[in-house]
Amino acid sequence: MDAFPRPPAGPGNLAARSLRQVWHPCTQMKQQAKLPLVALSHGEGPWLVDTDGERYLDAISSWWVNLFGHANPRINAALVDQLGRLEHAMLAGFTHEPVVALAERLSALTGGVLGHAFFASDGASAVEIALKMSFHAWRNQGHDDKREFVCVRHGYHGETLGALAVTDVALFRDAYDPLLRHAHVVASPDARNARDGESGVDVAHRAAAELEALLVRREGRIAAVIVEPLVQCAAGMAMHDPEYLRRVRALCDRHGAHLIADEIAVGCGRTGTFFACEHAGIWPDLLTLSKGISGGYLPLSLVLSRDAIFDAFYDDDTARGFLHSHSYTGNPLACRAALATLDIFADDDVLAVNALRARRLSDALAPLANDPRAKHFRQRGMIWAFDAEVPQAAEAVRAFSLRFYTEARARGVLLRPIGNTVYLMPPYVLDDATIDWLASRTMAAFDATMRDLGSHRHGGTAVKFGKEQAA
Ligand SMILES: *Cc1c(COP(=O)(O)O)cnc(C)c1O
């Protein structure tokens, strides 16, 4: 541990002031101090522009939240209108048009199956709410013993203590493990786990069999199984066959457990359908949404639930109600941003246009699918990923990740690999020319990274920054 060199507050560029006073998320501040921070001036569609006027294509949608570009005129107009009406009011005892309209429209998108919406602001809180609802619904129905949760290997559901308890990502979890109420962790249906001759469906069945064995072993004890439908994003864009979701749905029904679908990352059209569960033709008992739902504008999350769960709380007894409260629940501005986002989906036929965008980007990235240095090239909807063939030592993986980020950034593309997994999760606004440009820059950055790492196999990588790297 080294002391932070505490400079006096005062002048300096934006990046220096930020390092002095802002504690950045998911960041070892000592390492960040050695890397240039991007100080943003503004955003324009898929582009972020820094204070020097350099432009970066936001190819990861700013941590997966931005769907229709930055400073989107239609979402801006909705927010300006809402600002003149009502910025916020408590939702207990009061209601307003944006929160009602959003709940109605999301329910309609599930065909009315998930008919009740509970609002919060961040994804982790939505997960906590879903876990609490599941446990409390069972308790209200006389099943006090159902108090255990099941999650999937390498799954990610957020980083508050409750959400971390169903998260299996060592980097985020290990330091806090002594504080957590442990959940059962079952095999991931990740198609990359296929053994010789196995298909993705076979892997799904194998993973479901492990879940079944657990549900039998803990019969009457499991409140809910939580899954990330189709893509375990934070695990490194681990993709699985929809058959897994059908099997989990059937197992939850047979063994009396709720199914929680965490669609915080994969919802809102990311996998090609509005909800990822639609690929499997199933609905969960509880579904969490956040990230893209506000178009990436404002913190908003929600939990959609079936009537059966809502009804378990509907009673004369106050204590049988769901008394969870949150100051900004149902914030009208966030709800208006979400309504404007849903309007764009409908008005621009976004899912259909995205299918064309996806085909074009897949075609443009096709050389990677045959590149022996890029393993497991995979795509689902508006998510692309591949794993760089680098030594598995933590040091080598970190060197790759940092080097690739730097090479991509020097080429005007914002991409942050997860370990040795490079992924693209662009906003839904790219035209053909930008798609082709993104693909060629991504491949050039990969090429440069692999060449550089190859020539530094011994003695590590001296990471250089700056435009001299630009191709
Ligand atoms: C990002 C994410 C969360 C947590 O959302 P936050 O708003 O960051 O708390 C939960 N689940 C999944 C699947 C996510 O991708």
Side-chain angles (χ1 to χ4, degrees):
M1 218 182 315
D2 299 304
F4 175 58
R6 207 164 295 278
N13 66 25
L14 198 52
R17 283 165 51 211
S18 196
L19 288 175
R20 192 155 57 217
Q21 230 77 58
V22 178
W23 200 336
H24 289 266
C26 201
T27 298
Q28 168 49 266
M29 291 299 289
K30 189 174 180 195
Q31 287 168 8
Q32 184 67 65
K34 293 183 221 135
L35 299 173
L37 208 53
V38 184
L40 293 176
S41 154
H42 60 282
E44 282 170 17
W47 299 93
L48 291 168
V49 186
D50 74 13
T51 48
D52 294 329
E54 296 289 345
R55 292 156 63 82
Y56 304 94
L57 187 74
D58 189 355
I60 55 169
S61 300
S62 282
W63 264 352
W64 324 342
V65 301
N66 186 286
L67 300 190
F68 297 118
H70 299 280
N72 181 291
R74 288 188 271 180
I75 303 175
N76 287 4
L79 285 174
V80 168
D81 178 68
Q82 188 59 39
L83 275 170
R85 295 167 189 269
L86 178 67
E87 79 300 332
H88 182 69
M90 60 193 284
L91 197 64
F94 297 86
T95 194
H96 47 77
E97 179 65 25
V99 79
V100 176
L102 182 55
E104 288 172 348
R105 286 177 65 174
L106 290 172
S107 168
L109 285 171
T110 70
V113 174
L114 301 172
H116 305 272
F118 195 97
F119 290 80
S121 295
D122 63 310
S125 293
V127 167
E128 304 251 343
I129 287 164
L131 298 174
K132 284 174 71 177
M133 270 184 183
S134 169
F135 163 75
H136 197 167
W138 286 125
R139 203 169 74 143
N140 281 348
Q141 292 169 321
H143 298 289
D144 233 343
D145 286 343
K146 294 192 195 243
R147 54 180 71 172
E148 297 173 12
F149 296 107
V150 181
C151 61
V152 176
R153 176 86 51 219
H154 303 316
Y156 179 90
H157 300 286
E159 294 170 53
T160 56
L161 291 177
L164 206 48
V166 289
T167 287
D168 184 45
V169 178
L171 182 66
F172 301 132
R173 182 185 160 122
D174 283 359
Y176 311 101
D177 198 65
L179 304 182
L180 305 178
R181 197 177 178 283
H182 292 110
H184 302 282
V185 183
V186 291
S188 167
D190 182 349
R192 291 174 300 177
N193 295 337
R195 298 171 185 150
D196 273 352
E198 265 190 341
S199 68
V201 176
D202 295 329
V203 181
H205 284 299
R206 197 148 48 77
E210 190 179 314
L211 172 63
E212 180 168 24
L214 174 72
L215 291 171
V216 168
R217 201 162 68 244
R218 303 300 297 161
E219 191 75 51
R221 306 269 175 178
I222 306 293
V225 178
I226 184 166
V227 300
E228 294 165 89
L230 294 192
V231 189
Q232 293 180 281
C233 295
M237 304 300 154
M239 301 187 183
H240 59 255
D241 193 276
E243 176 65 9
Y244 182 69
L245 300 172
R246 286 187 285 270
R247 288 291 308 274
V248 174
R249 176 70 276 180
L251 289 170
C252 284
D253 288 341
R254 190 173 324 141
H255 294 277
H258 294 138
L259 172 57
I260 303 173
D262 180 352
E263 297 226 7
I264 288 168
V266 294
C268 301
R270 190 48 77 178
T271 67
T273 49
F274 190 83
F275 295 107
C277 283
E278 293 174 62
H279 286 279
I282 59 121
W283 291 110
D285 301 290
L286 294 158
L287 186 149
T288 55
L289 267 191
S290 187
K291 294 209 164 99
I293 187 62
S294 73
Y297 264 65
L298 287 160
L300 177 67
S301 66
L302 28 85
V303 179
L304 302 178
S305 86
R306 284 185 189 253
D307 290 349
I309 290 188
F310 179 82
D311 291 348
F313 293 88
Y314 199 75
D315 198 271
D316 291 323
D317 181 357
T318 306
R320 288 171 63 93
F322 189 62
L323 304 186
H324 186 97
S325 55
H326 162 54
S327 308
Y328 280 96
T329 193
N331 177 262
L333 289 166
C335 291
R336 269 306 282 279
L339 288 168
T341 298
L342 294 181
D343 284 342
I344 295 174
F345 269 104
D347 296 346
D348 294 4
D349 204 2
V350 168
L351 297 178
V353 179
N354 273 357
L356 303 176
R357 289 192 178 103
R359 191 173 320 144
R360 187 164 186 113
L361 185 50
S362 290
D363 287 348
L365 291 172
L368 285 172
N370 303 312
D371 187 332
R373 301 167 306 171
K375 295 283 186 223
H376 300 295
F377 182 84
R378 52 201 183 274
Q379 176 256 338
R380 171 71 81 176
M382 292 293 281
I383 307 174
W384 291 260
F386 62 89
D387 306 332
E389 182 77 351
V390 293
Q392 281 307 296
E395 189 66 15
V397 170
R398 244 194 320 274
F400 168 81
S401 171
L402 183 60
R403 185 81 217 179
F404 181 85
Y405 167 78
T406 309
E407 295 288 353
R409 200 172 108 180
R411 290 170 175 77
V413 181
L414 183 58
L415 287 169
R416 272 172 69 111
I418 300 173
N420 64 324
T421 298
V422 174
Y423 72 92
L424 292 84
M425 232 205 231
Y428 310 159
V429 292
L430 302 189
D431 58 23
D432 285 351
T434 313
I435 287 171
D436 295 346
W437 183 89
L438 169 60
S440 77
R441 293 296 165 114
T442 301
M443 292 187 291
F446 182 59
D447 227 37
T449 305
M450 296 307 271
R451 258 191 287 116
D452 181 74
L453 291 182
S455 63
H456 289 78
R457 265 289 139 73
H458 313 285
T461 307
V463 178
K464 285 190 294 184
F465 292 93
K467 296 295 155 193
E468 76 275 10
Q469 302 285 331

